[in-house]
Amino acid sequence: MAKKFSLILFLLVFVVIGLKAQDTYQRNSSADIQSYIFNLSLNDSTNQIEGEAEITVDFNAAPKAFALDLIGKSNAFGMKVTHVFEDDNEVNYTFENNKIKITPPSDSTQTRTYKVAYHGIPERGLVIDTTKFGKRSFFGDNWPNLARHWLPSVDHPYDKASIEFRITAPEHYDVVATGEKIEESYLDDGHKLTIYKEPAPVAMKVVTIGVAQFASRLIEEVYDIPVTAWVYPENRLDGFSDYSVASEVLKYFIDNIGPYSYAKLANMQAKTQWGGLENAGTISYFENSVTGKNEVEGLIAHEIAHQWFGNSATENDWNHVWLSEGFATYFAILYQESVYGDEKRKEELALDRKQIFEYYGKNPSPIIDLSITDPLKVLSVNTYQKAGWVLNMLRHKLGDGIFWEGIRTYYKRFQNANAMTADFRKVMEEVSGTDLKAFFEQWLYTKGYPEIKWDWNYHNGKIGLNIEQLQDHHIFQFPLEIGIVSKGKLDITTLQIDEKSKTFEIPITDKPDAIVLDPESWLLFEEKK
Ligand SMILES: [Zn+2]
């Protein structure tokens, strides 16, 4: 996702909790969720929802007890469970501490379907509110682990499943949700049933519904994938105009990375706590993203990039969220580079670099920070901007051809699945034939970046160049491009830096007019005086 003001500036309060702990989610040992069907009834008189979740589970051995997340009722909010069935029989279950624990009967076969009947008022996850135009609306806003407020589920991205929503709501609402619309029926009591089904496995963090009055329009079909805009009727023409770039972005990523994984690509104006939330095939953009001035192309590119990275090839563990956010950040830059040229890449990376320096001053931590246990805290300048910079450096290290081949191979191997940083590294090593251990260690698992103090002189047909790394905790190893400016012409020569301090000599006939470090923006470093 994109933070609400990430395009301008944002303040991030970052608290590091605990010691080495990592993602602490308790995974089910033998149950693998295959599909969810969520039957939900919404109404206008209260914020209470009535739900029945039909959950098909594969057991990899003899069926053992397994758990689903659901926030239980306390005070006004939370869910009450009334029944849990296996087929049509009540099963043993407990519902405590926001976990439904189900014990399958011992004669259960390996694939079983459970039904959980529940109701209550969700405090979060399903945002029941009014739009900025004062109209009642319901929007799913699950990232990272808010699905459990309204959908009984394994609310962690390691276990993805196909999704079907069957939404019953007063008939004046338009309904959009994850998946392809397969039914819309007016019932005889003033309600309407709308069904959406997504066969591809989806993580609960990116499952959504939008129930509001919408103006909706097909923007274009891109390789048979309908690209649509769903906006508030008050914003109809501006919204259609702002979101129409989505079809260009989709085409760029399909052409360069690989096939799109979902039934459709809806772009939805929504109530979301984020600037954008990359819900699979049904992206939410914050209400004020619509201006009619086409100002959100970068945001749209970021959220669409997530459909490949984060949604389809999904981090298996919250501490590896850079595989989602760093990729979305850099692939949005790659898209913009393809449209506006290389200067755009440099501009975006320069803005990101500034944020990285500021953030590092307050939070000296690595991109993969195993001390973080709360998924909300994995979002930072490190996992977005710095991780984007790491991909920029990896691209330069391998060259464009091998970088893109590696990206395509990684996506092909982990499409609709889960991956860790080591999986990505393995693919890039296989494709490039290069050992990337040191690169991954220093850029992803080590804090900081080279802080370089340097000067140069010219003497007897040689440039003398002193390069010193000032940071104490680690000596980085990297290629450094030196731009030599003579008579308005730029020549680039590359030095390999692997010591704390070194003087290099570069032979040249005449004294250059200027020397610049890294003129093409391929290295994350800070120039120090
Ligand atoms: Zn994102």
Side-chain angles (χ1 to χ4, degrees):
M1 84 250 38
K3 295 195 187 72
K4 203 156 249 168
F5 302 108
S6 66
L7 300 175
I8 314 156
L9 259 186
F10 62 87
L11 256 175
L12 196 95
V13 181
F14 189 75
V15 186
V16 175
I17 302 177
L19 301 165
K20 295 254 182 240
Q22 278 185 285
D23 187 329
T24 54
Y25 188 84
Q26 290 291 315
R27 301 179 184 209
N28 290 317
S29 60
S30 80
D32 178 8
I33 311 292
Q34 298 302 302
S35 67
Y36 297 99
I37 299 172
F38 295 114
N39 295 273
L40 288 175
S41 291
L42 310 174
N43 70 82
D44 279 339
S45 50
T46 72
N47 288 348
Q48 165 137 323
I49 63 170
E50 304 278 338
E52 189 191 69
E54 249 179 86
I55 302 165
T56 300
V57 184
D58 260 9
F59 293 95
N60 63 12
K64 272 202 261 179
F66 67 100
L68 300 169
D69 299 293
L70 186 69
I71 300 291
K73 184 169 167 54
S74 69
N75 303 323
F77 298 110
M79 296 296 144
K80 230 179 123 120
V81 172
T82 51
H83 298 284
V84 180
F85 293 103
E86 185 181 297
D87 297 330
D88 291 323
N89 309 310
E90 295 245 17
V91 287
N92 279 332
Y93 75 96
T94 58
F95 182 31
E96 288 166 0
N97 302 322
N98 306 319
K99 289 269 185 192
I100 305 171
K101 285 201 178 126
I102 298 172
T103 307
S106 55
D107 61 345
S108 284
T109 49
Q110 289 207 317
T111 301
R112 307 295 297 173
T113 298
Y114 297 89
K115 281 184 195 156
V116 178
Y118 64 102
H119 60 266
I121 300 176
E123 186 173 19
R124 306 185 67 191
L126 181 64
V127 180
I128 307 174
D129 199 351
T130 51
T131 68
K132 64 176 183 171
F133 298 108
K135 306 246 178 84
R136 184 170 168 84
S137 63
F138 306 73
F139 286 104
D141 204 36
N142 287 348
W143 204 99
N145 56 2
L146 303 180
R148 63 190 67 181
H149 285 268
W150 59 297
L151 302 171
S153 57
V154 173
D155 194 10
H156 186 287
Y158 87 89
D159 194 354
K160 304 198 286 186
S162 63
I163 299 282
E164 185 173 324
F165 277 108
R166 300 178 181 168
I167 309 284
T168 304
E171 63 182 24
H172 61 90
Y173 288 109
D174 303 295
V175 178
V176 60
T178 304
E180 180 186 7
K181 191 200 273 187
I182 56 171
E183 181 175 347
E184 183 180 64
S185 300
Y186 289 87
L187 308 176
D188 51 16
D189 58 355
H191 287 76
K192 187 171 71 178
L193 169 69
T194 315
I195 302 181
Y196 281 85
K197 186 181 172 118
E198 177 52 71
V202 181
M204 294 308 296
K205 64 172 183 167
V206 287
V207 160
T208 198
I209 64 171
V211 178
Q213 198 182 50
F214 283 116
S216 62
R217 181 189 170 94
L218 176 69
I219 296 168
E220 197 182 334
E221 292 212 351
V222 176
Y223 303 124
D224 293 333
I225 295 147
V227 181
T228 54
W230 293 70
V231 300
Y232 301 158
E234 299 86 346
N235 282 144
R236 180 177 153 258
L237 292 179
D238 285 346
F240 292 160
S241 166
D242 286 341
Y243 293 174
S244 66
V245 73
S247 60
E248 304 297 320
V249 177
L250 180 67
K251 184 165 189 310
Y252 172 80
F253 289 133
I254 291 173
D255 289 346
N256 287 284
I257 303 168
Y260 180 73
S261 297
Y262 307 109
K264 69 167 189 300
L265 178 59
N267 297 273
M268 173 172 77
Q269 185 178 17
K271 294 207 81 83
T272 166
Q273 64 170 325
W274 309 100
L277 178 50
E278 66 268 20
N279 298 310
T282 308
I283 297 170
S284 302
Y285 303 100
F286 73 114
E287 291 186 309
N288 290 332
S289 63
V290 173
T291 60
K293 296 178 192 154
N294 304 309
E295 292 167 323
V296 284
E297 187 173 11
L299 174 68
I300 288 173
H302 178 105
E303 305 310 338
I304 296 179
H306 269 307
Q307 306 303 316
W308 282 260
F309 305 115
N311 292 3
S312 188
T314 305
E315 64 283 4
N316 196 24
D317 180 313
W318 285 119
N319 297 97
H320 295 254
V321 78
W322 81 277
L323 295 169
S324 174
E325 296 304 347
F327 276 63
T329 301
Y330 193 59
F331 280 77
I333 293 176
L334 288 169
Y335 161 75
Q336 294 178 82
E337 176 188 326
S338 79
V339 178
Y340 302 106
D342 195 44
E343 282 308 308
K344 183 67 179 166
R345 175 186 65 90
K346 293 186 196 170
E347 262 171 44
E348 293 290 318
L349 288 171
L351 292 172
D352 289 354
R353 180 164 48 202
K354 252 185 96 190
Q355 292 192 47
I356 294 165
F357 297 162
E358 280 165 22
Y359 184 78
Y360 183 61
K362 295 175 204 129
N363 303 279
S365 53
I367 291 173
I368 299 172
D369 183 351
L370 301 181
S371 70
I372 298 175
T373 57
D374 177 351
L376 259 182
K377 300 203 165 73
V378 299
L379 300 185
S380 71
V381 171
N382 275 345
T383 51
Y384 283 69
Q385 286 83 358
K386 187 180 175 193
W389 253 102
V390 171
L391 289 173
N392 184 59
M393 291 190 283
L394 183 62
R395 169 187 174 190
H396 192 55
K397 182 179 176 70
L398 303 180
D400 272 14
I402 290 172
F403 173 77
W404 279 106
E405 193 192 331
I407 292 296
R408 282 190 282 272
T409 307
Y410 168 68
Y411 179 67
K412 195 169 177 189
R413 199 169 294 173
F414 294 98
Q415 183 179 12
N416 291 322
N418 291 84
M420 294 284 269
T421 301
D423 297 314
F424 176 58
R425 181 184 137 198
K426 187 161 171 268
V427 169
M428 297 313 274
E429 287 184 332
E430 278 174 25
V431 168
S432 66
T434 307
D435 181 350
L436 295 170
K437 184 168 192 287
F439 181 92
F440 274 64
E441 282 291 327
Q442 80 173 3
W443 292 115
L444 291 160
Y445 290 93
T446 307
K447 67 181 178 180
Y449 40 77
E451 295 165 43
I452 297 177
K453 189 178 163 191
W454 68 289
D455 58 60
W456 69 281
N457 55 56
Y458 178 80
H459 208 64
N460 288 344
K462 282 176 198 154
I463 297 166
L465 194 60
N466 304 303
I467 305 282
E468 188 185 355
Q469 298 190 49
L470 297 183
Q471 78 288 344
D472 287 326
H473 68 281
H474 180 76
I475 294 171
F476 284 84
Q477 306 196 331
F478 51 90
L480 173 62
E481 291 191 344
I482 309 292
I484 303 167
V485 185
S486 291
K487 301 182 185 96
K489 200 170 143 280
L490 174 74
D491 273 321
I492 292 176
T493 190
T494 303
L495 303 175
Q496 180 59 34
I497 309 292
D498 37 30
E499 290 169 58
K500 182 149 182 68
S501 174
K502 191 169 175 179
T503 300
F504 296 86
E505 287 188 341
I506 303 167
I508 187 170
T509 18
D510 297 311
K511 186 180 178 190
D513 302 320
I515 303 282
V516 274
L517 300 195
D518 190 40
E520 302 296 324
S521 301
W522 292 115
L523 177 70
L524 176 61
F525 74 105
E526 186 173 11
E527 236 177 291
K528 293 278 195 180
K529 293 281 172 239

